[in-house]
Amino acid sequence: MDTRDPFRENVLAAGHRACAGCGEAMAARMVTDLIGSEAIYVAATGCLQVFTTHNAQSAWQVPWIHSVFANAAAVAAGIEAALRARGDNTPVVVQAGDGGTFDIGLQCLSGMIERGHDVLFVCYDNEGYMNTGVQRSGSTPHAVRTTTSPPGRLRAGKRHLKKDVLAIVGAHHLPYAATATVAFFSDLQDKVKKALSIRGPRFLQVLAPCPLGWDHAAERTVEVARLAVETGLFPLVELEYGTPTSVMHLARQRPVEDYLELQGRFRHLFASDRGREEIRHLQALADTHVAHYGLLDPDRPGATEASVAARRHAWGGYARPRREPSS
Amino acid sequence: MTRLDFAPGSSIAYHTGDWRVQQPVYRDKWPPCSRACPCGEDIQAWLALANDHEWEAAWRKLTERNPLPAVLGRICFHPCEGACNRRALDTAVNVHALERELGDRALRNGWRHERLTARFTNRKVAVIGAGPAGLSFAFQMARHGVPVTLFEATDRPGGTLASGIPAYRLPRDVLEREIDAILDLGITLQTGVRIGTDRDVDCLRESFDAIFLAIGAQRPRRHPDGGAEGAGILTGLDFLHQVNTGSPPAVPSRVAVIGGGNTAMDAARCARRLGADVTVICAQGPHGSQPGHPDAEITALPEEVRQAEAEGIRIRYRLGVRRVVHGGGQPAGVEIARVDRLHDLEGRFHPRLFAGTEEFLPAGMVIFAIGQEVDWRGLDTLKTLSPPEVMVGGDAASGPRFAATAIGSGFQAASTLLARWVEGVTTHAERESREIPAQALNLAYYRPEPRQEPPASFASPNDFREIVPGLDAAAVEKEAVRCLSCGVCFHCGNCWNFCPDAAILRREDRFTVDTDYCKGCGICARECPCGHIDMESLLT
């Protein structure tokens, strides 16, 4: 057991095998410590499942199950139905990567939401199949270099656009769906708390940069995630029954180059005229998000600044002492 | 257990710390404000206490180095603000207004300085000169239980603070009450005693174990023109002394002030308040006119110049005085000419004027404020001895500088002596001085907040009331929050929140690194707002 920290449960314990600077490990530690150990966690196949269960050493200090890639939502639905039959209100949480959400797990996710199961589905979105060696996924943004979308004579990286999974999920008119990211911790905290206070199917998409696949310095994980929001490429929004009910307003919109230039997966865009055209395309996509969600509202400026402002004696976000398991 | 020999269980058995090639280290830094402060105040520390509304503790922290905060908060040239890292985000923290507020709070609430020891040592010190340097030295010695006798040549303590600074910048009662609080520590003050004239120097050496000479630079420099003496011709210090002791001279309708320092500015503004039309003749150029050559610009503080001009004082730059023109026993004016060169070949300040550019400036009174020198009369035998028996501080050691410099030199002299005499006291030099530049901060974690300024009001003639008010209570709280806490942890918890590897652990009063698991990614250091965390390479 990981009992080193009296102020934090460490649902996801130390000793896991994520790369240094892993955004997904960071995101999962945030989300699971906010939810706590009194929950049942279901994993889809993906980085998080692989690096936390290496060589029969589990980093999970909670009930945790992994079945196959596609069916995490279906497994969770079954667990939830069984708990309900027993009158047990223990929360059920699915943790999946973007592969297990956007692509391989989409059908089971859709079914789980459509049937109204009381499950929180968390997608850690690192925009590709990373632990198998960085292949493109439905979540990989346009023009990104992966091993299966290499830039070359015919293409400047991935040809297609990033799938708008939030809109797909929102089309199910579920009680709550939101996007969040590791860089805006207090925002993530609010969204997890809100999700836990609602019954029915809930969906959280957490952007989690991947130093390996995105090819940025390990120390810049949070900075990259912050820039994804500040450029407008990854808007932070909340949907209730499919309708946007709140957005994170930007203090100012940064140009997409600020975000792109930190990452090797976009480096080819700076090396050719074709690439520079794609940068303009990505800027147009960001501008579309800003306009669509009204991220630059002059009446409500600076939400991004307010959200990350460091507070004196805040002592971090998890003032929940570890509970010793009852014997 | 070897790497390949695993039993089923928790990943906690697997120490990822051996992947690491660099590791985070929590380390306090010494912020630029404190590095710039001539008193060596730990500005970050007392701002942090003010931020937590620990007002009295903040005042005590501040007065460890500077026992005159209400005074310095008003008159200091605040180099701390010029160095403040917050300028990279918006504008510098208004340190001097907060210092003044703490000083005023202490006066309002009657907080008293505390002795650090109940026991008096058997050594005694004498301080010659009760100006800022002498008071600072006496304060430090008395706090540590060393009996102090303070000799002052004039009839009251304060030195230049009392005789040279006009009341509209520093109200008399503020100065007197802060000095009284220092003397309350049990310091013996003897006023009206000029050592070297009224009392022999050598008898001091017999009765005291050490002597601190803080006699200031009180002798005004003279203009080379032999005619620059007589009725209606004053030095800046004399003029200010007369004004500040309540017997101002009658001023004619036109007054010329010669000089570009703060004394010149004070004299000009006092003359203006006494009803005169005032022209300042300054050999240097205006602020900002000579980039890279601060010697060639007016030395008075920009805000002093701004306020003087707003009060209707004319400042004429790059002009020098050739002679005083007399008429009927009184000055009729001065002959001024354009400055050719400011410094002579040895680099001394000695303006040379262009022939043929002379003009006549009418003035019934001429005030020369062209610098001061140390008056060593009667003290020459002390000058030759070495410390610790005799130490020299303040303007007497450095030439005319600032009150803050004087207070700093008093502290340094005292800590040098105390380190030899009192167990557990270290010298001032032993402070770790790792720099923390603005680039080492992560400014994303601070919100721009406007600097709180008191509303400035400009004087009407003959009004010597204080012109710059303090901040109101709400503004004080808003301003204290603006400190970035450069290099010093303020427990925001970013490192703990962001660590992907559960390698940052929270303890009751701090965060620590668990090196068994830290993979050395560097996120904690990068996302630390205040640059408290360093990454140290483990590669050799």
Side-chain angles (χ1 to χ4, degrees):
Chain A
M1 292 295 287
D2 183 353
T3 56
R4 298 165 301 141
D5 196 328
F7 294 92
R8 190 165 171 170
E9 288 187 284
N10 285 341
V11 165
L12 172 50
H16 64 72
R17 269 65 151 188
C19 310
C22 175
E24 189 169 25
M26 185 191 296
R29 272 173 43 70
M30 287 175 170
V31 169
T32 56
D33 273 356
L34 290 167
I35 294 170
S37 53
E38 309 271 309
I40 294 172
Y41 291 86
V42 181
T45 306
C47 284
L48 181 64
Q49 167 260 322
V50 170
F51 73 67
T52 58
T53 54
H54 208 74
N55 285 3
Q57 288 185 332
S58 173
W60 297 103
Q61 312 205 74
V62 286
W64 183 91
I65 181 173
H66 167 240
S67 174
V68 296
F69 212 142
N71 72 354
V75 170
I79 292 171
E80 185 267 340
L83 289 171
R84 193 171 49 191
R86 291 170 44 172
D88 186 334
N89 288 325
T90 302
V92 180
V93 180
V94 180
Q95 297 187 98
D98 50 285
T101 306
F102 289 63
D103 299 343
I104 301 169
L106 186 63
Q107 179 247 91
C108 288
L109 169 62
S110 176
M112 180 203 90
I113 300 174
E114 181 262 328
R115 294 188 302 273
H117 288 285
D118 184 19
V119 172
L120 170 59
F121 190 105
V122 184
C123 167
Y124 301 116
D125 182 4
N126 59 16
E127 304 190 328
Y129 292 89
M130 296 315 187
N131 81 81
T132 50
V134 194
Q135 290 83 25
R136 80 185 274 298
S137 77
S139 170
T140 305
H142 181 57
V144 161
R145 178 196 76 200
T146 68
T147 53
T148 47
S149 65
R153 196 163 45 81
L154 297 178
R155 301 265 176 252
K158 185 184 168 186
R159 175 183 177 184
H160 311 95
L161 302 180
K162 179 176 169 115
K163 190 189 281 186
D164 187 354
V165 82
L166 189 73
I168 296 170
V169 169
H172 293 72
H173 298 281
L174 77 173
Y176 186 70
T179 55
T181 179
V182 288
F184 292 83
F185 176 75
S186 68
D187 173 72
L188 174 67
Q189 192 173 25
D190 291 346
K191 285 169 177 166
V192 171
K193 278 185 187 160
K194 184 164 178 179
L196 290 176
S197 72
I198 294 171
R199 286 184 66 83
R202 292 144 288 155
F203 178 80
L204 202 54
Q205 180 189 356
V206 184
L207 186 72
C210 171
L212 179 77
W214 297 17
D215 193 6
H216 61 74
E219 68 192 32
R220 291 192 186 262
T221 297
V222 176
E223 186 181 355
V224 166
R226 185 164 54 236
L227 281 165
V229 174
E230 288 177 343
T231 53
L233 283 168
F234 191 83
L236 298 184
V237 303
E238 287 181 294
L239 307 183
E240 291 177 56
Y241 296 98
T243 306
T245 52
S246 92
V247 299
M248 168 86 73
H249 293 97
L250 307 183
R252 73 195 75 81
Q253 188 188 0
R254 304 269 295 261
V256 291
E257 284 94 337
D258 290 0
Y259 173 69
L260 306 180
E261 69 190 7
L262 294 181
Q263 303 171 51
R265 63 176 179 158
F266 291 112
R267 191 167 298 133
H268 58 283
L269 300 184
F270 294 90
S272 70
D273 291 342
R274 173 71 193 282
R276 272 182 281 277
E277 255 178 60
E278 295 294 8
I279 292 177
R280 285 179 33 237
H281 189 180
L282 289 164
Q283 183 65 58
L285 290 170
D287 295 347
T288 307
H289 291 150
V290 170
H292 177 70
Y293 288 110
L295 300 181
L296 285 173
D297 184 342
D299 297 332
R300 302 178 62 190
T304 39
E305 282 172 352
S307 177
V308 298
R311 284 181 303 116
R312 216 178 148 66
H313 308 313
W315 288 107
Y318 318 88
R320 186 210 299 261
R322 247 202 83 74
R323 253 178 282 165
E324 292 305 318
S326 49
S327 50
Chain B
M1 184 165 79
T2 68
R3 264 174 179 279
L4 295 173
D5 176 21
F6 292 111
S10 169
S11 66
I12 199 77
Y14 185 82
H15 289 182
T16 53
D18 62 4
W19 303 6
R20 187 174 66 238
V21 294
Q22 54 173 0
Q23 91 175 38
V25 179
Y26 289 95
R27 188 179 283 131
D28 278 350
K29 316 290 192 310
W30 191 213
C33 49
S34 292
R35 295 170 69 86
C37 177
C39 303
E41 282 178 24
D42 195 345
I43 296 170
Q44 179 279 328
W46 63 255
L47 277 173
L49 289 163
N51 207 330
D52 295 339
H53 296 193
E54 303 275 350
W55 304 108
E56 186 172 346
W59 176 75
R60 294 203 182 281
K61 187 75 198 166
L62 163 54
T63 52
E64 280 177 10
R65 293 292 187 117
N66 169 18
L68 296 167
V71 172
L72 270 285
R74 285 171 167 84
I75 63 155
C76 188
F77 68 118
H78 45 76
C80 48
E81 294 179 23
C84 180
N85 276 337
R86 185 151 189 132
R87 290 175 310 149
L89 178 66
D90 42 32
T91 44
V93 176
N94 196 339
V95 178
H96 75 281
L98 292 167
E99 178 174 51
R100 167 184 171 158
E101 168 64 17
L102 288 177
D104 286 352
R105 247 175 227 257
L107 296 179
R108 276 203 302 277
N109 297 320
W111 295 333
R112 301 167 67 92
H113 296 295
E114 280 166 4
R115 293 260 314 275
L116 301 176
T117 169
R119 196 164 53 87
F120 274 103
T121 65
N122 52 4
R123 298 178 205 257
K124 291 187 294 182
V125 294
V127 181
I128 305 177
L135 287 167
S136 166
F137 179 86
F139 171 77
Q140 299 297 345
M141 299 309 281
R143 286 172 83 213
H144 288 91
V146 179
V148 182
T149 307
L150 192 50
F151 296 100
E152 168 60 35
T154 68
D155 60 352
R156 57 185 172 162
T160 307
L161 298 175
S163 66
I165 311 257
Y168 62 84
R169 282 174 65 200
L170 174 59
R172 294 297 84 143
D173 68 308
V174 170
L175 175 64
E176 283 160 16
R177 289 164 69 196
E178 277 208 326
I179 292 177
D180 287 345
I182 296 172
L183 299 177
D184 267 358
L185 282 167
I187 294 163
T188 311
L189 173 68
Q190 296 192 17
T191 55
V193 181
R194 182 176 288 272
I195 302 297
T197 323
D198 302 330
R199 191 171 303 178
D200 188 37
V201 176
D202 292 330
C203 79
L204 281 189
R205 297 197 62 231
E206 285 160 21
S207 354
F208 293 98
D209 297 280
I211 300 169
F212 185 61
L213 266 182
I215 55 174
Q218 295 284 351
R219 185 159 64 187
R221 197 170 284 154
R222 299 282 163 190
H223 191 263
D225 171 25
E229 292 195 22
I233 302 174
L234 286 83
T235 65
L237 280 189
D238 288 341
F239 176 73
L240 287 170
H241 184 73
Q242 290 173 30
V243 172
N244 290 331
T245 50
S247 50
V251 298
S253 59
R254 282 187 293 229
V255 170
V257 176
I258 320 302
N262 287 311
T263 308
M265 232 30 74
D266 287 342
R269 296 176 70 187
C270 284
R272 174 80 185 133
R273 280 172 174 71
L274 294 170
D277 179 57
V278 182
T279 305
V280 175
I281 301 299
C282 172
Q284 299 101 322
H287 283 298
S289 64
Q290 311 282 327
H293 298 279
D295 285 1
E297 294 180 1
I298 184 169
T299 54
L301 298 179
E303 55 200 66
E304 289 283 304
V305 174
R306 218 167 25 243
Q307 290 174 5
E309 286 181 324
E311 288 166 12
I313 290 163
R314 255 186 322 281
I315 303 176
R316 299 191 58 188
Y317 293 100
R318 291 199 70 80
L319 289 170
V321 171
R322 214 184 277 294
R323 64 189 181 98
V324 179
V325 180
H326 294 271
Q330 288 286 327
V334 284
E335 185 182 309
I336 54 177
R338 290 175 172 276
V339 168
D340 171 8
R341 272 212 303 256
L342 282 170
H343 299 89
D344 63 17
L345 292 174
E346 276 86 50
R348 285 178 302 231
F349 186 77
H350 188 252
R352 199 170 76 176
L353 308 178
F354 279 118
T357 63
E358 292 80 5
E359 58 179 299
F360 176 70
L361 177 75
M365 178 184 271
V366 182
I367 299 172
F368 282 97
I370 53 175
Q372 291 120 246
E373 293 158 351
V374 184
D375 185 356
W376 287 107
R377 277 174 301 172
L379 297 168
D380 289 323
T381 56
L382 291 183
K383 237 171 113 177
T384 55
L385 297 167
S386 61
E389 292 82 4
V390 177
M391 304 177 105
V392 187
D395 285 359
S398 61
R401 297 289 296 277
F402 300 96
T405 332
I407 289 171
S409 81
F411 175 86
Q412 289 175 16
S415 56
T416 305
L417 268 188
L418 289 167
R420 300 175 194 208
W421 291 357
V422 181
E423 225 171 293
V425 178
T426 55
T427 62
H428 59 278
E430 289 169 19
R431 185 116 193 189
E432 186 191 355
S433 59
R434 195 176 285 248
E435 276 191 58
I436 173 91
Q439 302 89 279
L441 308 177
N442 191 333
L443 294 177
Y445 292 105
Y446 300 99
R447 295 181 75 177
E449 302 278 357
R451 173 177 160 118
Q452 302 293 312
E453 295 276 13
S457 63
F458 290 112
S460 53
N462 214 3
D463 188 349
F464 279 87
R465 282 176 301 181
E466 184 164 34
I467 55 169
V468 180
L471 295 174
D472 62 41
V476 165
E477 289 187 19
K478 278 190 196 158
E479 193 58 33
V481 173
R482 293 182 73 236
C483 176
L484 304 181
S485 191
C486 305
V488 181
C489 179
F490 58 94
H491 311 130
C492 69
N494 271 4
C495 51
W496 192 56
N497 282 354
F498 286 131
C499 178
D501 300 309
I504 305 286
L505 303 178
R506 182 176 155 192
R507 298 288 175 251
E508 283 297 333
D509 58 342
R510 71 208 149 91
F511 295 101
T512 62
V513 179
D514 187 340
T515 50
D516 282 350
Y517 300 100
C518 171
K519 294 170 186 164
C521 65
I523 288 173
C524 51
R526 186 151 196 105
E527 302 307 324
C528 176
C530 65
H532 179 64
I533 306 176
D534 295 330
M535 292 306 293
E536 289 192 344
S537 175
L538 299 174
L539 302 174
T540 48

